[in-house]
Each structure stands twice: as structure tokens, then as C-alpha cells.
Amino acid sequence: MSIMKEKFPGVYQMDGRLYTPNLVPGEKVYNEHIIHYEGVEYRSWNPYKSKMAAAILKGLKTMPVSRNSNILYLGAANGTTVSHLSDIAVDGTIYAVEMSVRAMGDLVNVCSTRGNIIPILADAEKPDTYGMMVGSVDLLYQDISQRDQMGIFMKNMEKFGVGQGILMVKARSIDVSMPPGKIFHRVRKELERKFRVTEAVSLSPYSRDHMALVVG
């Protein structure tokens, strides 16, 4: 008999798959698999569609997201990972920043039934344009494709006085001509000038040439 085990608060694992308790029972976000276990509805968390899920399955040791987390999420896209974080941070608030109008349409639909997500149409490179819409946050989560990923991350960490952060580094978006390993090393070295990097997790094979860096 399969047993659902808690991997982190709000994150569960069964038969090698990750799940989060569905904040909105009966509703799917990206056609994910839904199961019921001991009276609770869970949504499967696909590591091929969410880098956070990939990081957890690849051995992430600490989970900075908890029930009361207030999160600034840069690069919310269509809301896949954001929706799972909202399952976890049920008593917190997620400020979801996305610059694509098309993706924002999907994100707004996700937010319509999830009251702990606030969608913000803005460019993560310009925090002054959305600063007035963001309350106090204790975690910055960034997953964007812009070339200056590290600069944008550091700018937002400092702007909002955040103590913890998760940076999903996309090597090919920074420099397609440089080996990903060298890019990861360079980004980590630059981050360590101002922050303490506590974990570095390769996301392969779920997301090739990507790495999760946790600072805090």
C-alpha cells in the first residue's frame, strides 16, 4: 500500500511523486493529476513543469516556503509553480510579477480562485514600478529568462529588504556561448559578495542547463 509522506511542511511525496494539498478542491491549474488520500485532495507537482519541484526531487535540503510565507515571485508566467506555492503558503501572500500580457491572462484566472496570490503586470527589472503594490515579504523567488538574471535578483532583494531568496539560474539565457558550469560558478561568486548561498542544486534532467541557488 502506498503511503503519503510529508517531505516538507505542505509538500508531500508518494511513489516518487510530489504533491501539495489542493487549496481549491476540485480545481486543476495545468491539467495536473489529482488524488485523494485520507480525506484530503492533493495536486501532483510536475518537476518537468516546475523548477521548484525539480529542485526538491534533486535533493533540496531546506524549503524556504512555509504556511505563513509572504513571497515576491518574479517570473510567475502562467501560474504553474505559483499555484503550488499558494497551496503551501495558505496563510501568506504571493506577489506574482509577470511581464507577458498573454501569460498574465492565465495567471489572473488562477488568482481568481486563490485569494493568496496577487498578480502584478510589470517588468522585474524595474522594481520601482511595482514597489507600491508589494507588501512586506520574507522570500524572493525568481524564475525569469532575462539576461541580467543575477542583477535583477540582487536589485529586488535589496529593494524589498528580503532575507531569503531562490534564484533559478537559466544559463542559456545569460550566455549561450559559455559552458553552463562556468556561468553557474560566476553567478554564485557574484551573489556571495552580498549574500550567503546555502544551497546549489542542478535541475537536470528536468530542466537542462538550470540551477537553483538558495540564499539566506
Side-chain angles (χ1 to χ4, degrees):
M1 178 180 176
S2 298
I3 298 176
M4 184 77 76
K5 296 182 179 179
E6 187 175 54
K7 190 167 183 65
F8 295 113
V11 181
Y12 298 81
Q13 188 168 19
M14 184 169 67
D15 296 333
R17 296 183 178 182
L18 294 180
Y19 296 88
T20 55
N22 196 355
L23 182 66
V24 188
E27 182 177 291
K28 295 183 179 182
V29 173
Y30 57 103
N31 201 34
E32 67 274 25
H33 185 56
I34 287 181
I35 66 170
H36 293 83
Y37 183 88
E38 295 186 348
V40 178
E41 182 174 295
Y42 294 87
R43 302 166 55 226
S44 62
W45 198 355
N46 190 336
Y48 288 98
K49 294 186 177 181
S50 171
K51 296 178 186 66
M52 190 70 217
I56 293 172
L57 287 177
K58 285 300 299 290
L60 187 73
K61 295 182 177 64
T62 57
M63 179 60 168
V65 182
S66 64
R67 185 181 185 90
N68 299 300
S69 291
N70 293 312
I71 306 164
L72 174 58
Y73 192 120
L74 305 180
N78 304 85
T80 298
T81 299
V82 174
S83 69
H84 284 287
L85 296 187
S86 82
D87 285 341
I88 302 168
V90 292
D91 293 327
T93 301
I94 303 173
Y95 301 92
V97 177
E98 174 55 45
M99 67 184 298
S100 166
V101 174
R102 178 175 294 183
M104 178 57 65
D106 292 335
L107 181 60
V108 168
N109 287 335
V110 173
C111 298
S112 66
T113 55
R114 292 174 174 268
N116 59 351
I117 308 175
I118 298 176
I120 300 173
L121 181 63
D123 184 349
E125 194 171 11
K126 303 173 182 177
D128 287 338
T129 64
Y130 53 86
M132 72 293 294
M133 293 178 272
V134 177
S136 177
V137 293
D138 42 53
L139 175 69
L140 170 62
Y141 183 103
Q142 180 177 302
D143 182 7
I144 62 176
S145 298
Q146 285 149 279
R147 185 171 185 177
D148 189 22
Q149 296 165 36
M150 182 184 60
I152 293 171
F153 181 80
M154 295 176 74
K155 185 186 298 183
N156 279 271
M157 286 285 286
E158 294 171 355
K159 165 72 177 178
F160 297 100
V162 190
Q164 288 184 300
I166 302 174
L167 172 60
M168 298 299 179
V169 183
K170 303 184 179 188
R172 295 303 181 187
S173 295
I174 295 175
D175 190 339
V176 71
S177 66
M178 184 180 294
K182 288 188 176 181
I183 293 176
F184 297 145
H185 177 75
R186 186 181 72 185
V187 171
R188 178 169 184 167
K189 189 174 181 180
E190 286 295 318
L191 280 178
E192 288 178 335
R193 291 184 177 184
K194 292 190 175 182
F195 306 104
R196 183 170 63 96
V197 177
T198 58
E199 288 192 65
V201 182
S202 169
L203 303 186
S204 180
Y206 304 110
S207 292
R208 293 182 60 189
D209 302 330
H210 287 68
M211 176 170 281
L213 294 178
V214 182
V215 305

